[in-house]
Amino acid sequence: MERWQSHQRIARIMAAARAQVFNTAIGEQDWKQYFDHHLYAPHGAEFKLSLFPLPARLINQTPWSKAFRDQPELLPRQRYLDLCREGRRFAFIDAIRRRWKPKVVICLGERHAEDFVQAFVLAQARATDHVLQPADQPKTLRVLERDGTTWLICPPLAGAAGLMSDVLLDAMGQYITRWLQPDDFPELSTGAEEPIARAS
């Protein structure tokens, strides 16, 4: 997991959220402690799911057609994407959401906005936009609300258009705390540190 900077950036968002909820300063290395000890912890309240669980970029840049040449259900790649959309994958993801009832679901990657809407059955959800602008790099978040859960469809954590800077990551963490409170960190309330709820 340490090879993927996206997990480090998620830890940065979560450390900023925790600091905001408890009104403490954000230390420069707080994300590292969060990453090492709390991110996706067995008893934590956060989790990560992918709409399409197979990586778009395969190890050693192996072409999709070569990697899955013996699995016709996955070729071409569009067939695999359709299988996730129309098969049971999207229904499985929404069933988890209904069961666990997270307060906030962070959906990374605006290019999959329609897929997020389909997977979580958000066509009739109340929707607004929020501009995240802690400095000079405004990023627009699509905010959808339904059944006690708020979804944030936001830029990816990589690329020129993504949430790349520490300032933006900290601002994202601070923004999600409007739906959180101290008892969302049950272990922190008793003196030990644990993460807050997150899903994507």
Side-chain angles (χ1 to χ4, degrees), residues 38-78:
H38 306 298
L39 192 65
Y40 317 134
H43 300 291
E46 66 191 8
F47 57 94
K48 184 178 189 312
L49 288 172
S50 296
L51 294 177
F52 307 104
L54 294 176
R57 293 182 185 86
L58 302 172
I59 296 172
N60 299 326
Q61 299 301 314
T62 303
W64 186 275
S65 59
K66 183 176 180 182
F68 299 110
R69 63 177 170 248
D70 296 326
Q71 300 177 27
E73 303 84 9
L74 304 181
L75 291 174
R77 187 166 185 271
Q78 185 60 49

Coordinates of all heavy atoms in Angstrom, one line a residue, residues 38-78:
H38 N -3.7 3.8 11.5 CA -5.2 3.9 11.5 C -5.9 3.7 10.1 O -7.1 3.3 10.1 CB -5.7 5.3 12.0 CG -5.1 5.6 13.4 ND1 -5.3 4.8 14.5 CD2 -4.2 6.6 13.7 CE1 -4.6 5.3 15.5 NE2 -4.0 6.4 15.1
L39 N -5.2 4.0 9.0 CA -5.9 3.9 7.7 C -6.4 2.5 7.4 O -5.6 1.6 7.4 CB -5.0 4.4 6.6 CG -5.6 4.7 5.3 CD1 -6.6 5.9 5.4 CD2 -4.5 5.0 4.2
Y40 N -7.7 2.3 7.2 CA -8.3 1.1 6.9 C -8.1 0.0 8.0 O -8.0 -1.2 7.8 CB -7.9 0.5 5.6 CG -7.8 1.4 4.5 CD1 -6.7 1.5 3.6 CD2 -8.8 2.4 4.2 CE1 -6.6 2.4 2.5 CE2 -8.7 3.3 3.1 CZ -7.6 3.3 2.3 OH -7.5 4.1 1.3
A41 N -8.0 0.5 9.3 CA -7.7 -0.4 10.4 C -8.9 -1.4 10.6 O -10.0 -1.1 10.3 CB -7.6 0.4 11.7
P42 N -8.6 -2.6 11.1 CA -9.7 -3.6 11.3 C -10.9 -3.1 12.1 O -12.0 -3.5 11.8 CB -8.9 -4.7 12.0 CG -7.5 -4.6 11.7 CD -7.3 -3.1 11.5
H43 N -10.6 -2.3 13.1 CA -11.7 -1.8 13.9 C -12.1 -0.4 13.6 O -12.8 0.3 14.4 CB -11.4 -2.0 15.4 CG -11.2 -3.4 15.8 ND1 -12.2 -4.4 15.8 CD2 -10.1 -4.1 16.1 CE1 -11.7 -5.5 16.1 NE2 -10.4 -5.4 16.3
G44 N -11.5 0.1 12.5 CA -11.8 1.5 12.1 C -13.2 1.6 11.5 O -13.9 0.7 11.2
A45 N -13.6 2.9 11.3 CA -14.9 3.1 10.7 C -14.8 3.5 9.3 O -15.8 3.9 8.7 CB -15.6 4.2 11.5
E46 N -13.6 3.5 8.7 CA -13.5 3.9 7.3 C -13.2 2.6 6.4 O -12.7 1.6 6.9 CB -12.4 4.9 7.1 CG -11.0 4.3 7.4 CD -9.9 5.4 7.5 OE1 -10.2 6.5 7.4 OE2 -8.8 5.0 7.5
F47 N -13.6 2.7 5.2 CA -13.3 1.7 4.3 C -13.1 2.2 2.9 O -13.5 3.4 2.6 CB -14.3 0.6 4.3 CG -15.7 1.1 4.0 CD1 -16.2 1.0 2.7 CD2 -16.5 1.6 5.0 CE1 -17.5 1.5 2.4 CE2 -17.8 2.0 4.8 CZ -18.3 2.0 3.5
K48 N -12.6 1.4 2.0 CA -12.4 1.9 0.6 C -12.9 0.8 -0.3 O -12.5 -0.4 -0.2 CB -10.9 2.2 0.3 CG -10.6 2.7 -1.1 CD -9.2 3.0 -1.2 CE -8.9 3.8 -2.5 NZ -9.5 3.2 -3.7
L49 N -13.7 1.2 -1.3 CA -14.2 0.3 -2.3 C -13.9 0.9 -3.7 O -14.0 2.2 -3.8 CB -15.7 0.0 -2.2 CG -16.1 -0.8 -1.0 CD1 -17.6 -0.8 -0.9 CD2 -15.6 -2.3 -1.2
S50 N -13.8 0.1 -4.7 CA -13.7 0.6 -6.1 C -14.9 0.2 -6.9 O -15.3 -1.0 -6.8 CB -12.4 0.1 -6.7 OG -11.3 0.5 -6.1
L51 N -15.4 1.1 -7.7 CA -16.5 0.7 -8.6 C -16.0 -0.4 -9.5 O -16.8 -1.4 -9.8 CB -16.9 1.9 -9.5 CG -17.5 3.1 -8.8 CD1 -17.8 4.2 -9.8 CD2 -18.8 2.7 -8.1
F52 N -14.8 -0.3 -10.0 CA -14.2 -1.3 -10.9 C -12.9 -1.8 -10.3 O -11.9 -1.2 -10.3 CB -13.9 -0.6 -12.3 CG -15.1 0.1 -12.8 CD1 -15.1 1.5 -12.8 CD2 -16.1 -0.6 -13.4 CE1 -16.2 2.2 -13.3 CE2 -17.2 0.1 -13.9 CZ -17.3 1.4 -13.9
P53 N -13.0 -3.0 -9.6 CA -11.9 -3.5 -8.7 C -10.6 -3.8 -9.4 O -9.6 -3.8 -8.8 CB -12.5 -4.7 -8.0 CG -13.6 -5.1 -8.9 CD -14.2 -3.9 -9.5
L54 N -10.7 -4.2 -10.7 CA -9.4 -4.5 -11.4 C -8.7 -3.2 -11.8 O -9.4 -2.2 -12.3 CB -9.7 -5.3 -12.7 CG -10.2 -6.7 -12.4 CD1 -10.5 -7.4 -13.7 CD2 -9.2 -7.6 -11.6
P55 N -7.4 -3.1 -11.6 CA -6.7 -1.8 -11.9 C -6.7 -1.5 -13.3 O -6.5 -2.3 -14.2 CB -5.3 -2.1 -11.4 CG -5.1 -3.6 -11.4 CD -6.5 -4.1 -11.1
A56 N -6.9 -0.2 -13.6 CA -6.9 0.2 -15.0 C -5.5 0.1 -15.6 O -5.3 -0.2 -16.8 CB -7.4 1.7 -15.1
R57 N -4.5 0.4 -14.8 CA -3.1 0.2 -15.2 C -2.6 -1.0 -14.5 O -2.4 -1.1 -13.3 CB -2.3 1.4 -14.9 CG -2.7 2.7 -15.6 CD -1.8 3.8 -15.3 NE -2.3 5.0 -15.9 CZ -3.2 5.8 -15.4 NH1 -3.8 5.6 -14.3 NH2 -3.6 6.9 -16.1
L58 N -2.3 -2.0 -15.3 CA -1.8 -3.3 -14.7 C -0.3 -3.2 -14.4 O 0.4 -2.4 -15.0 CB -2.1 -4.4 -15.7 CG -3.6 -4.6 -16.0 CD1 -3.9 -5.6 -17.1 CD2 -4.4 -5.0 -14.8
I59 N 0.2 -4.2 -13.6 CA 1.6 -4.2 -13.2 C 2.4 -4.4 -14.5 O 2.1 -5.1 -15.4 CB 1.8 -5.4 -12.3 CG1 1.0 -5.2 -11.0 CG2 3.3 -5.6 -12.0 CD1 1.0 -6.4 -10.0
N60 N 3.5 -3.6 -14.5 CA 4.5 -3.6 -15.6 C 3.8 -3.2 -16.9 O 4.3 -3.5 -18.0 CB 5.1 -5.0 -15.8 CG 5.9 -5.4 -14.5 OD1 6.5 -4.5 -13.9 ND2 5.9 -6.7 -14.2
Q61 N 2.7 -2.4 -16.8 CA 2.1 -1.9 -18.0 C 1.6 -3.0 -19.0 O 1.6 -2.8 -20.2 CB 2.9 -0.9 -18.7 CG 3.3 0.3 -17.8 CD 2.1 1.1 -17.4 OE1 1.2 1.4 -18.2 NE2 2.0 1.4 -16.1
T62 N 1.3 -4.2 -18.5 CA 0.8 -5.3 -19.3 C -0.5 -4.8 -20.0 O -1.4 -4.4 -19.3 CB 0.6 -6.5 -18.5 OG1 1.8 -6.9 -17.8 CG2 0.1 -7.7 -19.3
P63 N -0.6 -5.0 -21.3 CA -1.9 -4.6 -21.9 C -3.0 -5.4 -21.4 O -2.9 -6.6 -21.1 CB -1.6 -4.9 -23.4 CG -0.2 -4.9 -23.5 CD 0.4 -5.4 -22.2
W64 N -4.2 -4.8 -21.3 CA -5.4 -5.4 -20.8 C -5.7 -6.7 -21.6 O -6.0 -7.8 -21.0 CB -6.6 -4.5 -20.8 CG -7.8 -5.0 -20.2 CD1 -8.8 -5.8 -20.8 CD2 -8.3 -4.8 -18.9 NE1 -9.8 -6.1 -20.0 CE2 -9.5 -5.5 -18.8 CE3 -7.8 -4.1 -17.8 CZ2 -10.3 -5.4 -17.6 CZ3 -8.5 -4.0 -16.6 CH2 -9.8 -4.7 -16.5
S65 N -5.6 -6.6 -22.9 CA -5.9 -7.7 -23.8 C -5.0 -8.9 -23.5 O -5.4 -10.1 -23.7 CB -5.8 -7.3 -25.2 OG -4.5 -6.8 -25.5
K66 N -3.7 -8.7 -23.1 CA -2.8 -9.8 -22.9 C -3.0 -10.3 -21.5 O -3.0 -11.5 -21.3 CB -1.4 -9.2 -23.0 CG -0.3 -10.3 -22.8 CD 1.1 -9.8 -23.0 CE 2.1 -10.9 -22.8 NZ 3.5 -10.3 -23.0
A67 N -3.2 -9.4 -20.5 CA -3.4 -9.9 -19.1 C -4.6 -10.8 -18.9 O -4.6 -11.7 -18.1 CB -3.5 -8.7 -18.2
F68 N -5.7 -10.5 -19.7 CA -7.0 -11.3 -19.5 C -7.3 -12.1 -20.8 O -8.5 -12.3 -21.0 CB -8.1 -10.3 -19.1 CG -7.8 -9.6 -17.8 CD1 -7.5 -8.3 -17.8 CD2 -7.8 -10.3 -16.6 CE1 -7.2 -7.6 -16.6 CE2 -7.5 -9.7 -15.4 CZ -7.2 -8.3 -15.4
R69 N -6.4 -12.5 -21.6 CA -6.7 -13.1 -22.8 C -7.4 -14.5 -22.6 O -8.1 -14.9 -23.6 CB -5.4 -13.4 -23.6 CG -4.4 -14.2 -22.9 CD -3.1 -14.5 -23.8 NE -2.1 -15.1 -23.1 CZ -0.9 -14.6 -22.7 NH1 -0.7 -13.3 -23.1 NH2 0.0 -15.2 -22.0
D70 N -7.3 -15.1 -21.5 CA -8.0 -16.4 -21.2 C -9.3 -16.2 -20.5 O -9.9 -17.2 -20.1 CB -7.1 -17.3 -20.4 CG -5.8 -17.7 -21.1 OD1 -5.9 -17.8 -22.4 OD2 -4.7 -17.8 -20.5
Q71 N -9.8 -14.9 -20.4 CA -11.0 -14.6 -19.7 C -11.9 -13.8 -20.6 O -11.9 -12.6 -20.5 CB -10.7 -13.9 -18.4 CG -9.8 -14.8 -17.4 CD -9.5 -14.0 -16.1 OE1 -10.2 -13.2 -15.7 NE2 -8.4 -14.4 -15.6
P72 N -12.7 -14.4 -21.4 CA -13.5 -13.7 -22.4 C -14.5 -12.7 -21.8 O -14.9 -11.8 -22.4 CB -14.2 -14.8 -23.2 CG -14.1 -16.0 -22.4 CD -12.9 -15.9 -21.5
E73 N -14.9 -13.0 -20.5 CA -15.8 -12.0 -19.9 C -15.2 -10.6 -19.7 O -15.9 -9.7 -19.5 CB -16.3 -12.6 -18.5 CG -16.9 -13.9 -18.5 CD -15.9 -15.1 -18.5 OE1 -14.7 -14.8 -18.3 OE2 -16.2 -16.2 -18.8
L74 N -13.9 -10.6 -19.7 CA -13.2 -9.3 -19.5 C -12.6 -8.7 -20.7 O -11.9 -7.6 -20.6 CB -12.0 -9.6 -18.5 CG -12.4 -10.2 -17.1 CD1 -11.2 -10.4 -16.3 CD2 -13.5 -9.4 -16.4
L75 N -12.9 -9.3 -21.9 CA -12.4 -8.7 -23.1 C -13.5 -8.4 -24.1 O -14.4 -9.2 -24.2 CB -11.4 -9.7 -23.8 CG -10.1 -9.9 -23.1 CD1 -9.3 -11.1 -23.7 CD2 -9.3 -8.7 -23.0
P76 N -13.5 -7.2 -24.7 CA -12.6 -6.1 -24.4 C -12.9 -5.5 -23.0 O -13.8 -5.9 -22.4 CB -12.8 -5.2 -25.5 CG -14.3 -5.4 -25.9 CD -14.5 -6.9 -25.7
R77 N -12.1 -4.5 -22.6 CA -12.2 -3.9 -21.3 C -13.6 -3.4 -21.1 O -14.1 -3.4 -20.0 CB -11.2 -2.8 -21.1 CG -11.2 -2.3 -19.7 CD -10.0 -1.5 -19.4 NE -10.0 -1.1 -18.0 CZ -10.5 0.0 -17.5 NH1 -11.2 0.8 -18.3 NH2 -10.5 0.3 -16.2
Q78 N -14.2 -2.9 -22.2 CA -15.6 -2.3 -22.1 C -16.6 -3.4 -21.6 O -17.5 -3.1 -20.8 CB -16.0 -1.8 -23.4 CG -17.4 -1.1 -23.4 CD -17.4 0.1 -22.4 OE1 -16.5 1.0 -22.5 NE2 -18.4 0.2 -21.6

